[in-house]
């Protein structure tokens, strides 16, 4: 397996949801546990960026083989969380070849999609492997070659890594994810998806 750790961004306040997304019920467990179990079969190293609600989340993850990174300035936004996470990971493991980034609020993304992204990665080609929906939207989950680490570590604000994607279209490979890229941002979307994908719950 290539040396490409996975970062799960889970530091936000879930302002629009009105309660911590990380703790929402999904299947028979919390959303963050569900996400961890989806990701772990695809990577040798899973880092989870925590910020808001970290004390509530820690007990849920004690039995999983994950590395937790605490980002105390999570109010600054997702880009800052990602930048800090990459700084920390790269500092402790400077030989990593890339990084795969996913979000806590995309529970429909499958283990096989993450594996497919990795299967399309070729070391040393300055690739970005991004996900694309059936409607043509592209973005996270996204795999960045280590070539982009300098730029990723300087991100700030809420735009995330979209700017890097836009600038490097020629190096970007899009992997279709069907309808799995829905962001679960509001109670209405959560309830709708929960009823559809957790019919036995």
């Amino acid at each position: 397996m290539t040396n490409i750790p996975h970062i799960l961004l889970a530091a936000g306040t879930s302002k629009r949801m009105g309660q911590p997304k990380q703790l929402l019920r999904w299947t028979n467990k919390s959303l963050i546990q569900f996400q961890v179990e989806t990701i772990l079969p695809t990577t040798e190293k899973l880092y989870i960026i925590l910020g808001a609600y970290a004390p509530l989340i820690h007990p849920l993850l004690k039995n999983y083989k994950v590395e937790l990174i605490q980002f105390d300035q999570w109010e600054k936004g997702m880009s800052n969380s990602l930048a800090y996470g990459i700084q920390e990971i790269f500092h402790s493991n400077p030989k990593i070849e890339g990084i795969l980034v996913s979000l806590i609020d995309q529970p429909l993304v499958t283990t096989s999609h993450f594996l497919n992204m990795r299967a399309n990665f070729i070391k040393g080609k300055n690739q970005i492997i991004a996900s694309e929906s059936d409607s043509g939207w592209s973005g996270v989950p996204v795999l960045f070659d280590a070539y982009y680490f300098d730029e990723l570590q300087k991100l700030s604000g809420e735009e995330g890594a979209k700017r890097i994607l836009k600038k490097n279209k020629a190096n970007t490979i899009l992997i279709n994810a069907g309808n799995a890229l829905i962001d679960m941002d509001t109670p209405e979307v959560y309830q709708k998806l929960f009823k559809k994908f957790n019919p036995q719950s």
Side-chain angles (χ1 to χ4, degrees), residues 45 47 67 69 85-96:
K45 201 79 167 174
Y47 294 91
E67 296 269 346
I69 296 176
I86 289 175
Q87 287 166 23
E88 291 291 298
I89 295 164
F90 195 46
H91 179 72
S92 62
N93 189 357
K95 293 186 178 178
I96 58 175

Side-chain angles (χ1 to χ4, degrees), residues 3-18:
N3 189 3
I4 299 174
H6 191 124
I7 291 185
L8 176 63
L9 296 177
T13 57
S14 315
K15 193 181 291 182
R16 292 172 63 196
M17 185 65 71

Side-chain angles (χ1 to χ4, degrees), residues 93-108:
N93 189 357
K95 293 186 178 178
I96 58 175
E97 297 162 12
I99 201 96
L100 202 164
V101 182
S102 67
L103 307 179
I104 186 67
D105 59 3
Q106 289 183 319
L108 305 187

Side-chain angles (χ1 to χ4, degrees), residues 22-176:
Q22 303 92 326
L23 306 180
L24 290 172
R25 198 158 135 265
W26 193 263
T27 64
N28 60 346
K29 52 185 71 77
S30 68
L31 179 59
I32 196 159
Q33 289 172 318
F34 177 84
Q35 289 283 39
V36 166
E37 290 177 18
T38 300
I39 295 164
L40 276 178
T42 74
T43 184
E44 291 179 358
K45 201 79 167 174
L46 171 57
Y47 294 91
I48 303 175
I49 314 298
L50 297 179
Y53 316 118
L56 298 174
I57 296 167
H58 275 262
L60 299 175
L61 300 176
K62 64 184 180 185
N63 294 325
Y64 295 99
K65 192 181 174 186
V66 297
E67 296 269 346
L68 305 180
I69 296 176
Q70 177 68 31
F71 180 52
D72 293 328
Q73 299 181 61
W74 42 266
E75 300 101 325
K76 289 186 174 181
M78 193 196 310
S79 295
N80 295 75
S81 297
L82 176 57
Y84 181 78
I86 289 175
Q87 287 166 23
E88 291 291 298
I89 295 164
F90 195 46
H91 179 72
S92 62
N93 189 357
K95 293 186 178 178
I96 58 175
E97 297 162 12
I99 201 96
L100 202 164
V101 182
S102 67
L103 307 179
I104 186 67
D105 59 3
Q106 289 183 319
L108 305 187
V109 178
T110 62
T111 297
S112 61
H113 181 70
F114 291 130
L115 289 171
N116 196 12
M117 292 176 72
R118 290 175 176 276
N120 279 272
F121 179 78
I122 302 171
K123 181 181 173 182
K125 298 281 189 182
N126 300 349
Q127 285 179 329
I128 298 173
I129 312 289
S131 302
E132 183 178 43
S133 71
D134 282 342
S135 62
W137 181 91
S138 59
V140 283
V142 60
L143 193 165
F144 290 99
D145 185 280
Y147 173 82
Y148 300 97
F149 283 1
D150 283 349
E151 208 169 344
L152 286 165
Q153 289 177 69
K154 294 171 186 169
L155 289 174
S156 62
E158 283 296 343
E159 193 183 8
K162 286 179 188 170
R163 185 166 40 84
I164 300 174
L165 284 172
K166 287 175 189 170
K167 202 167 71 174
N168 295 281
K169 280 185 179 176
N171 292 333
T172 300
I173 293 172
L174 298 176
I175 305 294
N176 185 265

Side-chain angles (χ1 to χ4, degrees), residues 26 182 184 189-198:
W26 193 263
I182 300 166
M184 210 161 59
V189 175
Y190 166 61
Q191 291 297 339
K192 183 180 175 183
L193 292 180
F194 187 86
K195 283 175 186 171
K196 184 175 180 181
F197 293 98
N198 298 267

